[in-house]
Amino acid sequence: MHSYYQMTALEKWTEDLYERLEIVKPAQISIAYIAERLNIWVHYLDVRSKGIEASAGMYSMFIDNRLPEELQRLEFLHELCHLLRHAGSHTLMPEQFTQAEKDESERFILYAAMPYSMISKMTLPELREDAIQELAAAFQVPCELALQRIDQIQRRVFQGQLIAVMERNEDRKLIHRHIR
């Protein structure tokens, strides 16, 4: 079934980033581990989370210390996407563009918090609720996020299966044309 799964460009980029950072297990998906490898100075303050690039390759991130630890990590991943993929000033950009960046950062959270490369090595329970619980526990994420990721993976597998069936049907049509 996993052979039908197709990664998006953002997901592949995230997997490549983790490979470069040598992140291979869920425990390494932590603020401290990632920040150290990317040279990001993290400050926990009573403010909304925000990442800034002080100068080329020098990053600082402010994480809202009022949030539970689990949500601080998700905020970190959200801001990490902005730092690494959405450089520059956004004051003059159209609202649709800034919204697209926010949407991409939300998708990045799913990929970065629960990478497919790690999920695919797990043997998840058959029962959906049990699989959600196991994924949430393994990656230290809320159950709602684990549910989103499982749904996303199932949709991609189904899409891959449909594409494979369509390709086989096209191949059959080509063969029948040549046989006649």
Side-chain angles (χ1 to χ4, degrees), residues 41-73:
W41 294 37
V42 179
H43 311 277
Y44 296 88
L45 301 170
D46 192 1
V47 297
R48 242 180 78 223
S49 298
K50 180 83 177 143
I52 57 171
E53 185 172 11
S55 62
M58 284 194 60
Y59 306 109
S60 282
M61 196 178 296
F62 302 99
I63 302 294
D64 189 340
N65 64 8
R66 299 167 291 189
L67 296 172
E69 200 172 304
E70 183 179 82
L71 295 181
Q72 287 178 4
R73 188 168 62 100

Coordinates of all heavy atoms in Angstrom, one line a residue, residues 41-73:
W41 N 18.6 30.8 17.5 CA 18.5 31.1 18.9 C 17.0 31.2 19.2 O 16.3 32.0 18.7 CB 19.2 32.5 19.1 CG 20.7 32.4 18.8 CD1 21.3 31.7 17.9 CD2 21.7 33.1 19.6 NE1 22.7 32.0 18.0 CE2 22.9 32.8 19.0 CE3 21.6 34.0 20.7 CZ2 24.1 33.3 19.5 CZ3 22.8 34.5 21.1 CH2 24.1 34.1 20.6
V42 N 16.6 30.4 20.2 CA 15.2 30.4 20.6 C 15.1 31.0 22.0 O 15.8 30.8 22.9 CB 14.8 28.9 20.7 CG1 13.3 28.8 21.1 CG2 14.9 28.2 19.3
H43 N 14.1 31.9 22.0 CA 13.8 32.7 23.2 C 12.3 32.4 23.6 O 11.4 32.6 22.8 CB 14.0 34.2 23.0 CG 15.3 34.5 22.4 ND1 16.5 34.6 23.1 CD2 15.6 34.7 21.1 CE1 17.4 34.9 22.3 NE2 17.0 35.0 21.0
Y44 N 12.1 32.0 24.9 CA 10.7 31.8 25.3 C 10.3 33.0 26.1 O 10.8 33.3 27.1 CB 10.7 30.5 26.2 CG 11.1 29.3 25.5 CD1 12.4 28.9 25.4 CD2 10.1 28.5 24.9 CE1 12.8 27.7 24.7 CE2 10.5 27.3 24.2 CZ 11.8 27.0 24.1 OH 12.1 25.8 23.4
L45 N 9.3 33.7 25.5 CA 8.8 34.9 26.1 C 7.3 34.9 26.1 O 6.6 34.2 25.4 CB 9.3 36.1 25.3 CG 10.8 36.3 25.2 CD1 11.1 37.4 24.1 CD2 11.4 36.6 26.5
D46 N 6.7 35.9 26.8 CA 5.3 36.1 27.0 C 4.8 36.9 25.8 O 4.2 38.0 25.9 CB 5.0 36.8 28.3 CG 3.6 36.8 28.7 OD1 2.8 36.2 27.9 OD2 3.3 37.4 29.7
V47 N 5.1 36.4 24.6 CA 4.7 37.1 23.3 C 4.2 36.1 22.3 O 4.5 34.9 22.5 CB 5.9 37.9 22.7 CG1 6.3 39.0 23.6 CG2 7.1 37.0 22.4
R48 N 3.6 36.6 21.2 CA 3.2 35.7 20.1 C 4.4 35.1 19.5 O 5.4 35.8 19.3 CB 2.4 36.4 19.1 CG 1.0 35.9 19.0 CD 0.1 36.7 18.0 NE 0.5 36.3 16.6 CZ 0.6 37.1 15.6 NH1 0.5 38.4 15.8 NH2 0.9 36.6 14.4
S49 N 4.4 33.9 19.1 CA 5.6 33.2 18.4 C 5.9 33.9 17.1 O 5.0 34.3 16.4 CB 5.3 31.8 18.2 OG 5.1 31.1 19.4
K50 N 7.2 34.1 16.9 CA 7.7 34.8 15.7 C 9.1 34.4 15.4 O 9.9 34.2 16.3 CB 7.6 36.3 15.9 CG 8.1 37.2 14.8 CD 6.9 37.3 13.8 CE 7.4 38.3 12.7 NZ 6.9 37.9 11.4
G51 N 9.5 34.2 14.1 CA 10.8 33.9 13.8 C 11.4 35.1 13.0 O 10.6 35.7 12.2
I52 N 12.6 35.4 13.2 CA 13.3 36.5 12.4 C 14.7 36.1 11.9 O 15.3 35.3 12.6 CB 13.4 37.8 13.2 CG1 14.1 37.6 14.5 CG2 12.0 38.4 13.4 CD1 14.5 38.9 15.2
E53 N 15.0 36.6 10.8 CA 16.4 36.3 10.3 C 17.2 37.6 10.5 O 17.0 38.6 9.9 CB 16.4 36.0 8.8 CG 17.8 35.6 8.2 CD 17.7 35.1 6.8 OE1 16.7 35.2 6.1 OE2 18.8 34.6 6.4
A54 N 18.1 37.6 11.5 CA 18.8 38.7 11.9 C 19.8 39.2 10.8 O 19.9 40.4 10.5 CB 19.6 38.5 13.2
S55 N 20.4 38.2 10.2 CA 21.3 38.4 9.0 C 21.3 37.1 8.3 O 20.8 36.1 8.8 CB 22.7 39.0 9.4 OG 23.3 38.0 10.2
A56 N 21.9 37.1 7.1 CA 22.0 35.9 6.3 C 22.4 34.7 7.1 O 23.6 34.6 7.6 CB 22.9 36.1 5.1
G57 N 21.5 33.7 7.3 CA 21.8 32.5 8.0 C 21.8 32.6 9.5 O 22.1 31.6 10.2
M58 N 21.5 33.7 10.1 CA 21.4 33.9 11.6 C 20.0 34.1 11.9 O 19.4 35.1 11.6 CB 22.3 35.0 12.0 CG 23.8 34.7 12.1 SD 24.7 35.9 13.0 CE 24.0 35.8 14.6
Y59 N 19.4 33.2 12.6 CA 18.0 33.2 13.0 C 17.8 33.3 14.5 O 18.5 32.8 15.3 CB 17.3 31.9 12.5 CG 17.5 31.6 11.0 CD1 18.3 30.5 10.6 CD2 16.9 32.4 10.0 CE1 18.5 30.2 9.3 CE2 17.1 32.1 8.7 CZ 17.8 31.0 8.3 OH 18.0 30.7 7.0
S60 N 16.7 34.0 14.8 CA 16.2 34.0 16.2 C 14.7 33.7 16.1 O 14.0 34.0 15.1 CB 16.4 35.4 16.8 OG 17.7 35.6 17.2
M61 N 14.2 33.0 17.2 CA 12.8 32.7 17.2 C 12.3 33.0 18.6 O 13.0 32.6 19.6 CB 12.6 31.3 16.8 CG 11.2 31.0 16.5 SD 10.9 29.3 16.0 CE 11.8 29.2 14.5
F62 N 11.2 33.6 18.7 CA 10.5 33.9 19.9 C 9.3 32.9 20.0 O 8.5 32.9 19.1 CB 10.0 35.3 20.0 CG 11.1 36.3 19.9 CD1 11.3 36.9 18.6 CD2 12.0 36.6 20.9 CE1 12.4 37.8 18.5 CE2 13.0 37.5 20.8 CZ 13.2 38.1 19.5
I63 N 9.3 32.1 21.1 CA 8.2 31.1 21.3 C 7.4 31.6 22.4 O 7.9 31.9 23.5 CB 8.8 29.7 21.5 CG1 9.7 29.3 20.3 CG2 7.7 28.7 21.8 CD1 8.9 29.1 19.0
D64 N 6.1 31.5 22.3 CA 5.1 32.0 23.3 C 5.2 31.0 24.5 O 4.8 29.8 24.4 CB 3.7 32.0 22.7 CG 2.7 32.6 23.6 OD1 2.9 32.7 24.9 OD2 1.6 33.0 23.1
N65 N 5.8 31.4 25.6 CA 5.9 30.6 26.8 C 4.6 30.3 27.5 O 4.6 29.5 28.4 CB 7.0 31.1 27.7 CG 6.6 32.4 28.3 OD1 5.5 32.9 28.2 ND2 7.6 33.1 29.0
R66 N 3.5 30.9 27.1 CA 2.2 30.7 27.7 C 1.6 29.4 27.2 O 0.6 28.9 27.8 CB 1.3 31.9 27.5 CG 1.9 33.2 28.1 CD 1.1 34.4 27.6 NE 1.4 34.6 26.2 CZ 1.0 35.6 25.5 NH1 0.3 36.6 26.1 NH2 1.3 35.7 24.2
L67 N 2.1 28.9 26.1 CA 1.5 27.7 25.4 C 2.1 26.4 26.1 O 3.2 26.4 26.6 CB 1.9 27.6 24.0 CG 1.3 28.8 23.1 CD1 2.0 28.7 21.7 CD2 -0.2 28.7 23.0
P68 N 1.3 25.3 26.1 CA 1.8 24.1 26.6 C 3.0 23.6 25.7 O 3.1 24.0 24.5 CB 0.6 23.1 26.4 CG -0.6 23.9 26.2 CD -0.1 25.2 25.7
E69 N 3.9 22.9 26.2 CA 5.1 22.4 25.5 C 4.8 21.8 24.2 O 5.5 22.1 23.2 CB 5.9 21.5 26.4 CG 7.3 21.3 26.1 CD 8.1 20.5 27.1 OE1 8.1 20.8 28.3 OE2 8.7 19.5 26.6
E70 N 3.8 21.0 24.1 CA 3.4 20.3 22.9 C 3.1 21.3 21.8 O 3.5 21.2 20.6 CB 2.2 19.4 23.2 CG 1.7 18.6 22.0 CD 0.5 17.7 22.5 OE1 -0.6 18.2 22.5 OE2 0.8 16.5 22.8
L71 N 2.4 22.4 22.1 CA 2.0 23.4 21.2 C 3.2 24.3 20.9 O 3.2 24.9 19.8 CB 0.8 24.2 21.7 CG -0.5 23.4 21.8 CD1 -1.7 24.3 22.3 CD2 -0.9 22.7 20.5
Q72 N 4.1 24.5 21.8 CA 5.3 25.3 21.5 C 6.1 24.7 20.4 O 6.6 25.4 19.5 CB 6.2 25.5 22.8 CG 5.6 26.4 23.9 CD 6.5 26.4 25.1 OE1 7.6 25.8 25.2 NE2 6.0 27.1 26.1
R73 N 6.2 23.4 20.4 CA 6.9 22.7 19.3 C 6.2 22.9 18.0 O 6.9 23.1 17.0 CB 7.1 21.2 19.7 CG 8.0 20.5 18.7 CD 8.3 19.1 19.2 NE 7.2 18.3 19.4 CZ 6.8 17.4 18.5 NH1 7.5 17.1 17.4 NH2 5.7 16.7 18.7

